[in-house]
Amino acid sequence: MRLVLCWFSEFGLTEKLRLPRDIKSPIILQVSQGGSAYYAGKGLANDKQQASIAGAIAAALHIRAVSKAYGV
């Protein structure tokens, strides 16, 4: 089994779900603090990391929901 580490950028979160499907192997998606805040939206303050936390949770829920459609 291969394990591949992918990182989240502002673009292509859903695109990363093609990789485990295509290589038939699990991957780890890493979401950075800045990427998480970006995912939450620029309208949220991040002075107490609230945007980063909300964005990371939103990204995880998005990945969980959409990954089923990709069969991973």
Side-chain angles (χ1 to χ4, degrees), residues 12-69:
L13 179 60
T14 303
E15 273 299 304
K16 301 290 190 284
L17 293 176
R18 287 182 13 191
L19 182 62
R21 180 191 65 191
D22 294 348
I23 66 173
K24 296 175 179 45
S25 183
I27 65 168
I28 295 173
L29 284 172
Q30 179 176 330
V31 184
S32 70
Q33 178 182 354
S36 297
Y38 183 90
Y39 198 79
K42 294 184 179 188
L44 295 179
N46 201 28
D47 56 319
K48 296 180 182 174
Q49 310 305 318
Q50 63 269 36
S52 294
I53 294 166
I57 293 169
L61 292 172
H62 173 86
I63 291 165
R64 188 174 198 181
V66 176
S67 65
K68 293 175 186 175

